[in-house]
Amino acid sequence: MTESLGALHQELAGVVLAGRELPEVLTEIVQISHRAIPGAEATSITLIRDDRAFTAAFDGQIAMDADELQYERGYGPCLDAGRSGEVFLVEDMRREDRWPDYARQVAELGVRSSLSIPLPFQGATIGALNNYARHPGAFGDADVAAGEEVAAFVAIAVGNAEAAARATDDVANMRQAMASRAVIEQAKGILMERYKVTSDQAFTLLTHASQRTNVKLRDIAEELTATGLLRGS
């Protein structure tokens, strides 16, 4: 078990996170997880955002089908793992009584056992790593241990991707703010020259034009610099 976890660590460490889209990273991770858990015939990653669950990546169609059955109902092992932070092991769907309706229907799809492991992130859970098999009793302690290692890495990948997205948004917002400031300063310069007023007085002219016409200040400034016309004057 120690050797297999060591090999799993090595394979996960080789996953490149920087400069890649999250779905691509999660697809690679879910394939590694599938290989690392011998009992799994299909594996998926469920993420939960604002109480909405979706499959972010999967390897094996029965994983997607089983996930979808749970999303339709709003309950099931993968959803409960993602919400509660607990591991849920189903030994045999035909004998499962915690989610009887789901268990009956997923068994009709051929799924007989499953293992759902929560994704821990900053003291909370953001989803679950799900494993499915077509025969009962497919998962044991070693599978839980391997799954928890993968789940921790998935959470890191999701956290990094979200941080990168926030950084990208911050840069874009900063650039937009700088562009707005530049065009407003240019418009103020036009008004200062035209009306022989101070910088503050020129800015007041722009804000009054914006208020009278219900047009954004930046748009007023852009129109002035492009056409020489101050709207509403």
Side-chain angles (χ1 to χ4, degrees):
M1 179 175 171
T2 302
E3 290 181 3
S4 61
L5 284 180
L8 175 59
H9 286 157
Q10 186 173 359
E11 195 165 7
L12 289 172
V15 176
V16 177
L17 301 180
R20 301 175 68 190
E21 295 293 330
L22 181 60
E24 181 185 2
V25 173
L26 294 184
T27 295
E28 182 177 354
I29 294 173
V30 85
Q31 291 169 348
I32 293 172
S33 177
H34 190 175
R35 295 193 297 270
I37 300 177
E41 296 178 54
T43 303
S44 67
I45 295 171
T46 292
L47 295 181
I48 301 176
R49 292 289 182 273
D50 299 323
D51 207 34
R52 183 181 69 87
F54 61 96
T55 299
F58 69 98
D59 191 19
Q61 186 59 44
I62 62 170
M64 173 61 87
D65 294 340
D67 288 352
E68 289 293 337
L69 279 178
Q70 296 174 71
Y71 303 155
E72 290 171 6
R73 288 161 175 73
Y75 61 83
C78 85
L79 289 178
D80 287 359
R83 290 166 177 161
S84 70
E86 298 180 22
V87 173
F88 285 96
L89 173 63
V90 178
E91 294 281 357
D92 190 342
M93 289 294 178
R94 296 178 303 180
R95 300 177 181 176
E96 178 57 53
D97 57 8
R98 287 172 291 185
W99 314 277
D101 179 55
Y102 160 73
R104 176 181 57 78
Q105 291 210 18
V106 81
E108 292 174 359
L109 296 178
V111 176
R112 292 285 299 279
S113 57
S114 69
L115 171 64
S116 294
I117 299 172
L119 304 178
F121 184 65
Q122 296 183 348
T125 54
I126 58 173
L129 174 70
N130 314 302
N131 303 275
Y132 301 96
R134 292 185 174 88
H135 58 280
F139 305 104
D141 292 341
D143 300 307
V144 173
E148 288 177 337
E149 294 291 332
V150 175
F153 197 86
V154 169
I156 291 172
V158 172
N160 284 354
E162 292 186 338
R166 286 195 297 270
T168 299
D169 289 342
D170 288 344
V171 170
N173 291 336
M174 184 181 298
R175 286 175 177 168
Q176 184 176 8
M178 291 173 66
S180 296
R181 180 174 178 180
V183 74
I184 290 171
E185 288 299 320
Q186 188 177 355
K188 283 167 56 180
I190 293 173
L191 295 177
M192 289 169 66
E193 176 64 25
R194 179 180 300 174
Y195 298 114
K196 307 305 179 184
V197 295
T198 66
S199 175
D200 288 344
Q201 289 170 331
F203 186 73
T204 298
L205 290 173
L206 289 173
T207 56
H208 285 176
S210 174
Q211 293 165 2
R212 283 194 301 269
T213 60
N214 197 29
V215 175
K216 290 182 179 178
L217 181 63
R218 175 180 174 172
D219 293 339
I220 292 288
E222 286 182 340
E223 184 176 33
L224 175 60
T225 57
T227 68
L229 298 176
L230 179 61
R231 185 179 298 206
S233 62

